[in-house]
Amino acid sequence: MENHRCKGSLKNEISIRKDYENELVKDINGDKKQWRMFAYQYDFDTDDYYEESIAKIKYCPFCGDKLETGE
């Protein structure tokens, strides 16, 4: 898995990585790995945290680095 880490993403608790939007349904909806921002959300019903894809990106919004496609 490809990750991008910078001070801004760490400070804002945002994970930036090349991944599927949702690992569980990737084959069903034809998703492909892309650079995405993920945030952790709290689920009050299960009293647990889950990961949510919040945006597809090409540049890091915190440091401005271009994220390489690697394709």
Side-chain angles (χ1 to χ4, degrees):
M1 178 184 320
E2 294 178 65
N3 294 303
H4 170 78
R5 294 177 191 244
C6 65
K7 289 181 182 180
S9 65
L10 295 173
K11 179 181 177 184
N12 289 286
E13 299 178 359
I14 298 292
S15 175
I16 298 176
R17 65 179 184 273
K18 192 172 187 180
D19 207 351
Y20 298 101
E21 182 175 9
N22 185 328
E23 184 72 31
L24 297 174
V25 294
K26 67 181 179 186
D27 294 329
I28 296 170
N29 64 12
D31 195 12
K32 63 180 183 176
K33 284 189 176 184
Q34 297 178 359
W35 282 103
R36 301 174 194 265
M37 291 176 33
F38 291 88
Y40 290 93
Q41 306 294 331
Y42 183 72
D43 185 344
F44 289 96
D45 294 332
T46 61
D47 191 33
D48 200 6
Y49 287 90
Y50 65 95
E51 203 171 55
E52 180 179 42
S53 173
I54 54 176
K56 294 180 201 174
I57 57 175
K58 294 183 180 181
Y59 293 87
C60 175
F62 303 107
C63 69
D65 283 356
K66 183 175 182 178
L67 303 170
E68 298 300 322
T69 60
E71 297 176 346

